[in-house]
Amino acid sequence: MADFPDRARAVVIGGGIIGCSTAYHLGKLGWDDTVVLERHKLTSGTTFHAAGLVGQLRSNANITQLLGESVKLYETLEHEAGLVTGWKRNGGLRLACNAERWTEVKRQATVARSFGIEMDLLTPTEAQQMWPLMDVSDVVGAAFLPGDGQANPSDITQSLAKGARMNGVRIFEDTEVTGIETEDGRVKAVNTSQGRIECEVVVNCAGQWAREVGQMVGVNVPLVSVEHQFMVTKPIEGVTSDLPTLRDPDRLIYFKEEVGGLVLGGYESNPNPWATDGIPRDFNFSLLDSNWDHFDQFLEPAIGRVPAMGEADIQTLVNGPESFTPDGNFILGEAPELGNFFVGAGFNAFGIAAGGGAGMALAEWVANAEQPYDLWPVDIRRFGSPHRDTEWVRKRTLEAYGKHYTIAWPHEEHESGRPCRRSPLYEHLRVAGACFGEKLGWERANWFAESPEQAIETHTFGRPSWFDRVALEHQATRERVTVFDQSSFAKFMMVGPDAEAALSWICANDIAKPVGTIVYTQMLNRHGGTECDLTVSRIAHDRFYITTGTGSATHDFDWIARNIPEGMNAQLVDVTSSRAVISIMGPHARDVLSAVTRAPLDNDSFPFAAIREIAIEGAPVLALRVTFVGELGWELHVPTENAVGVYEALMDKGAEFGITNAGYRAIESMRLEKGFRAWGAEVSPDYTPLESGLGWALKLKTDIPFLGRDAVEAQKAAGLTRRIACFTVDDPDVILLGKETILRNGERVGWLSSGGFGHTVGCPIGYGFVRNADGVDRAFIESGDYELIVANERIPCNVQLGPLVDPRMERVKA
Ligand SMILES: Cc1cc2nc3c(=O)[nH]c(=O)nc-3n(C[C@H](O)[C@H](O)[C@H](O)COP(=O)(O)OP(=O)(O)OC[C@H]3O[C@@H](n4cnc5c(N)ncnc54)[C@H](O)[C@@H]3O)c2cc1C
């Protein structure tokens, strides 16, 4: 290879659709000094044997937008690159065969329209007119997405590769990456079967091999290979080339037209993992043996839907392995373990649908050192410690695969790989009737049943079975006192002579406060969007204790660590496992706490937003006077080994005040009433604190510089075009789950970021951003008449800008 380079700006590993798309977009962004290294031939991994369905709708607006970018690109790529792509926008049909699925589909249609995607609801007869070969005798309704389509995966990839070359990118086949060199926590070079290439950036697009490639440099890419099959028939009379793709989730199957015949595939509930001991070295352009015994489960349902399948001649049964992930979403972004090492992998059998958009987003992430917009559902930093164990990843991934087509119930929890991370209080709470949910491996009490045997959730789109139990916990917190086990909070310590200076730069609120002060703050990106939403407590002149949400552990650590200004002497340490968190909340919180500690708890000695070390049962407890429910309360951060002793003392002394356990569902209900924002919903990298109604937490009145300051100042001067508002519905039986469309004076202006029920106010509550290109202020919001679209129905609602239970703050601070 005479022209094999010894240096390049970016090296993309993998010549499947993701690597080629990333390289194509890097080339477009002017990164023409990019090379793609493919171990064998382009498409020879997984891409060559994909079925080629291209759907767009996901449960997140930005990921839906990303898939929409694929469609936009596929529309023009053939013309641009001069190669056929097999792209056709023939639309996608989705069937519902029972009342609950129909509710799900109607809710999806609302979500789709919220996100700007056309999705039409059809009667069974209308659906059948589009797909005459299908039997609709059991169909309740259907949805049609005219923007969906299908493509030829290999042709699309070759076109992307050609487009990349046209923009200067060089592609080397038969070139295996064998090692990666690093220096000072960053990528330095890749070693290949053809030689060494020094580079600034590595992008790992190695498909199901991405985990191995990551392991070369200690980067965790939590994906595993699973067998995935589809059958192809010979031509069937009546199958026309304009037939939409057809998804029949109640039968776990899909169909697509191919050369006059049909492709039939599905997502079985008992998937077969593959290559559990490693992928064979020579697995290129390879398929697995057809597994008819396993595929057989789809045949009867398929013939039931399309009787002509019963007579069709079978051409082939393709069995190909694909990489799947524990939550069914792909993995994108810069690895938290290593600078300038990016990942785009784990595409869960929608890599063709996602390829165009994911490659675009990844290329922009590389070129601009930041994601183009909030991509949290696919962000590599959403994972945590359980995901480092491949066996745990496999268990969870197989569950996620098996649920691909099952109804996505509200509040549904995973079952596999549990219990994994248990707080010291786990057994006490279990015996007390806790019904646990799981986040990042942590078992967390969602609510408490009367007995452990009754701690079971049934699934419904209606009022959940735990509604009344949560109401009791809610009421107990508002009227008496409850304890919440919040041990899963992520906790960091920032220490060093420059800890204050570093955090002053990273935090949007003023954390340069006296020892003993807690500050609630956002951390902003340079556009003013909120990356982190947490509390920073000063426990010594050179020590800050940082508490953030369970799911944000990896992300927030990464954000803070990477934004410590160069040269500053400040170290960030994860201390999550060292302390359990027992929160005691409610008007009697002080009474109970003072019965277990001699520390003064009166308002002067221990004011709101203060942190003190207090002694309880021989334990040095960090007590934080904060509230997330709008009541008087403390978070007790207890050395792990003392957690049980402190908990038992609180329950013992609290008995006379009617103390009870309470869980995360009650927290959710109370935070909605109080108007506390949730990260990933009302607070995200896409929204500034001004838009999220958190302008009060910005240190704009000081002259302290901070990351994102210029952007929020500019926005403040220019005015807002979207702003968070609270919506309530008078009818208590309406179920708000989030993503419902917001109509202002009949016009669509946004969708709910959160939805739930407030048990004190006794009504459904939602939050959502109201958008208007000409500006949104208080008067604009308050002057509108609002409705929400819930499962395709228009429901009148009320709007409010302040919290629903604010007067209680007087009691909180008393
Ligand atoms: C049966 C089946 C049906 C499917 N149907 C659909 C569908 O209808 N719609 C859809 O959207 N998706 C579908 N998919 C999924 C889709 O095929 C994948 O998501 C997509 O192809 C993944 O692309 P990729 O680029 O990530 O991986 P790959 O195509 O596997 O590319 C990764 C490349 O990296 C190379 N590589 C690995 N290690 C190294 C190394 N050390 N050095 C150099 N190169 C290396 C490999 O050789 C490989 O070519 C299907 C998948 C299967 C299995």
Side-chain angles (χ1 to χ4, degrees), residues 112-330:
R113 291 177 201 146
S114 288
F115 298 171
I117 296 232
E118 212 181 315
M119 182 162 171
D120 308 320
L121 294 174
L122 308 179
T123 63
T125 313
E126 287 168 333
Q128 209 220 7
Q129 280 161 2
M130 286 190 163
W131 235 92
L133 288 178
M134 113 178 129
D135 180 301
V136 289
S137 52
D138 63 338
V139 174
V140 176
F144 181 63
L145 289 116
D148 283 0
Q150 62 186 66
N152 183 321
S154 294
D155 292 346
I156 283 266
T157 306
Q158 295 291 355
S159 296
L160 287 166
K162 184 162 178 214
R165 286 192 187 100
M166 284 158 61
N167 285 306
V169 172
R170 284 170 295 167
I171 298 177
F172 297 93
E173 296 182 307
D174 300 309
T175 305
E176 179 168 5
V177 172
T178 52
I180 298 164
E181 293 174 28
T182 64
E183 194 173 74
D184 299 332
R186 298 176 81 76
V187 158
K188 188 175 178 217
V190 294
N191 292 306
T192 81
S193 51
Q194 308 293 340
R196 178 178 182 273
I197 307 179
E198 204 162 298
C199 59
E200 289 171 27
V201 169
V202 166
V203 193
N204 174 5
C205 298
Q208 59 184 336
W209 296 267
R211 188 161 55 92
E212 283 172 25
V213 170
Q215 273 166 358
M216 292 177 185
V217 279
V219 169
N220 187 36
V221 186
L223 53 81
V224 292
S225 303
V226 182
E227 292 186 16
H228 193 51
Q229 301 195 92
F230 62 80
M231 187 184 94
V232 190
T233 72
K234 293 200 169 141
I236 297 175
E237 210 181 311
V239 172
T240 49
S241 67
D242 59 350
L243 212 54
T245 58
L246 174 65
R247 290 178 179 80
D248 188 356
D250 293 307
R251 291 172 188 246
L252 307 179
I253 53 176
Y254 66 81
F255 298 90
K256 152 196 167 215
E257 182 274 339
E258 187 161 297
V259 210
L262 286 175
V263 167
L264 160 69
Y267 288 83
E268 62 276 28
S269 56
N270 57 339
N272 284 328
W274 183 68
T276 50
D277 296 321
I279 301 170
R281 286 216 61 72
D282 55 351
F283 197 83
N284 329 299
F285 281 132
S286 302
L287 291 170
L288 307 175
D289 290 342
S290 306
N291 188 340
W292 279 107
D293 286 348
H294 198 70
F295 195 77
D296 196 48
Q297 58 187 303
F298 296 131
L299 292 179
E300 203 179 309
I303 293 167
R305 177 64 62 222
V306 184
M309 288 287 285
E311 308 300 319
D313 291 326
I314 293 162
Q315 185 144 309
T316 178
L317 177 63
V318 173
N319 186 0
E322 157 74 329
S323 56
F324 288 84
T325 64
D327 58 6
N329 251 325
F330 51 91

Side-chain angles (χ1 to χ4, degrees), residues 292-595:
W292 279 107
D293 286 348
H294 198 70
F295 195 77
D296 196 48
Q297 58 187 303
F298 296 131
L299 292 179
E300 203 179 309
I303 293 167
R305 177 64 62 222
V306 184
M309 288 287 285
E311 308 300 319
D313 291 326
I314 293 162
Q315 185 144 309
T316 178
L317 177 63
V318 173
N319 186 0
E322 157 74 329
S323 56
F324 288 84
T325 64
D327 58 6
N329 251 325
F330 51 91
I331 306 172
L332 221 59
E334 188 174 4
E337 298 96 333
L338 181 64
N340 282 10
F341 186 86
F342 292 80
V343 177
F347 277 83
N348 294 276
F350 66 105
I352 310 307
M360 184 200 78
L362 194 52
E364 288 188 20
W365 208 325
V366 168
N368 304 327
E370 62 186 9
Q371 53 191 342
Y373 41 82
D374 178 27
L375 294 170
W376 179 242
V378 300
D379 192 316
I380 191 166
R381 293 167 297 179
R382 73 191 187 273
F383 299 112
S385 65
H387 301 101
R388 302 193 78 83
D389 174 8
T390 305
E391 289 317 308
W392 191 92
V393 168
R394 196 177 335 273
K395 275 186 220 158
R396 180 56 59 84
T397 300
L398 293 176
E399 181 188 355
Y401 179 111
K403 286 181 171 168
H404 183 88
Y405 270 159
T406 61
I407 293 176
W409 297 105
H411 313 289
E412 188 178 4
E413 295 281 347
H414 288 108
E415 288 159 18
S416 56
R418 297 182 56 186
C420 177
R421 301 168 89 180
R422 275 174 270 189
S423 119
L425 305 183
Y426 176 83
E427 197 51 29
H428 278 67
L429 303 186
R430 192 191 65 74
V431 170
C435 187
F436 292 97
E438 183 258 9
K439 203 163 205 179
L440 228 57
W442 282 98
E443 291 296 317
R444 313 192 317 164
N446 275 339
W447 56 279
F448 287 81
E450 275 179 84
S451 69
E453 295 69 39
Q454 290 166 290
I456 296 166
E457 290 192 351
T458 47
H459 295 134
T460 174
F461 283 104
R463 182 167 275 193
S465 55
W466 38 263
F467 185 86
D468 293 338
R469 298 298 302 174
V470 171
L472 290 175
E473 294 168 23
H474 179 125
Q475 189 185 10
T477 315
R478 292 263 185 258
E479 294 174 6
R480 300 194 311 274
V481 58
T482 51
V483 286
F484 298 86
D485 178 9
Q486 297 195 286
S487 302
S488 64
F489 274 156
K491 302 143 214 137
F492 314 136
M493 200 74 95
M494 176 79 107
V495 295
D498 296 329
E500 179 190 303
L503 282 172
S504 284
W505 166 247
I506 303 169
C507 296
N509 205 345
D510 186 4
I511 56 81
K513 298 283 182 190
V515 172
T517 310
I518 304 171
V519 177
Y520 168 59
T521 183
Q522 280 69 47
M523 295 175 169
L524 310 184
N525 56 37
R526 68 188 176 98
H527 308 289
T530 303
E531 293 284 342
C532 313
D533 177 72
L534 40 73
T535 59
V536 175
S537 307
R538 186 167 214 162
I539 56 174
H541 79 282
D542 59 351
R543 269 171 189 261
F544 292 83
Y545 182 67
I546 300 171
T547 314
T548 188
T550 310
S552 311
T554 308
H555 173 275
D556 288 8
F557 189 93
D558 178 67
W559 182 261
I560 300 168
R562 94 177 32 237
N563 283 295
I564 297 172
E566 186 106 18
M568 281 202 187
N569 185 354
Q571 289 78 40
L572 188 68
V573 184
D574 188 331
V575 294
T576 301
S577 301
S578 67
R579 288 184 187 267
V581 179
I582 305 170
S583 299
I584 176 158
M585 297 281 151
H588 288 302
R590 183 182 282 122
D591 301 321
V592 178
L593 200 53
S594 50

